[in-house]
Amino acid sequence: ANHAGEVGGRGRRIEMLYERHKADSYRYLVQLTHDAHLSEDLLSETFARAVGALAAYRAESGVRTWLIGIARNVWKQHLRAQKVAVELGDELGAYVAEDVAGGVVIRQTAQRARALLETRDARAARAVEMRAQGFSFKEIGRALDISENSARVIEFRARKWVREALDKEGWS
């Protein structure tokens, strides 16, 4: 679907953009922060930045992916402001261990999750990492040269396997 019309104007289109994508963006932020109130603040900042960046939006990715990228950057800036080091692995840790709290624990969990994923086939590991970064299953399928449904199944099974392995090891 072409979402360019969603971001092409002001007023009502901005409201429609927000209504259509706030839930996905909020869920993504909650996965990263494990804090509903902080996620609401970051969601507001995400959409404020999106409105400011509408003119630069080029529709090379879907609107959801574009917004998730903005949300990820807002989260990283928040962490930097809190003097917490951010690594790409934090996204993976937050994604595979949804109920783990605390930056250090998330980072350690991410490192273990990455090590576990490295024992799987590269396609499964890439699918989980891309999903943790906010890519859609359609985009993952395209990147891995598989169907969207196959990307969904591969990612689900690999993420489930990592969570179960982390549980057995006492990481959650």
Side-chain angles (χ1 to χ4, degrees):
N2 181 359
H3 298 288
E6 289 181 30
V7 294
R10 293 274 180 206
R12 180 72 185 128
R13 286 195 177 138
I14 291 170
E15 188 178 319
M16 286 171 45
L17 174 77
Y18 177 76
E19 290 301 320
R20 182 171 292 161
H21 296 286
K22 71 178 178 184
D24 284 340
S25 299
Y26 176 76
R27 273 193 301 276
Y28 177 75
L29 287 165
V30 168
Q31 278 186 326
L32 294 176
T33 67
H34 308 285
D35 181 326
H37 295 296
L38 175 59
S39 294
E40 288 173 13
D41 292 344
L42 297 178
L43 181 67
S44 295
E45 179 64 21
T46 295
F47 278 91
R49 290 192 189 176
V51 168
L54 281 175
Y57 178 71
R58 296 285 177 253
E60 292 165 1
S61 64
V63 173
R64 181 186 172 283
T65 302
W66 177 67
L67 288 169
I68 292 295
I70 293 171
R72 183 173 48 251
N73 289 334
V74 167
W75 174 66
K76 287 179 178 181
Q77 287 179 337
H78 167 77
L79 289 177
R80 279 193 293 273
Q82 299 297 315
K83 305 278 191 240
V84 176
V86 177
E87 299 171 10
L88 174 61
D90 290 350
E91 295 166 352
L92 182 63
Y95 185 67
V96 299
E98 293 171 345
D99 55 349
V100 176
V104 173
V105 175
I106 288 174
R107 194 165 301 106
Q108 291 169 346
T109 304
Q111 289 168 351
R112 182 61 188 139
R114 179 165 276 113
L116 287 166
L117 279 171
E118 286 173 3
T119 69
R120 304 292 283 189
D121 74 75
R123 189 170 63 177
R126 183 74 180 126
V128 172
E129 287 192 9
M130 287 182 73
R131 188 69 181 157
Q133 294 171 18
F135 288 94
S136 70
F137 288 110
K138 185 176 185 175
E139 291 166 320
I140 294 167
R142 219 175 310 149
L144 300 177
D145 199 28
I146 57 177
S147 72
E148 178 179 347
N149 196 47
S150 292
R152 191 178 303 274
V153 170
I154 289 168
E155 186 278 339
F156 173 81
R157 288 179 181 163
R159 182 168 38 100
K160 182 177 181 225
W161 178 83
V162 168
R163 282 186 179 154
E164 288 170 356
L166 290 171
D167 283 347
K168 285 179 189 171
E169 294 176 7
W171 285 93
S172 59

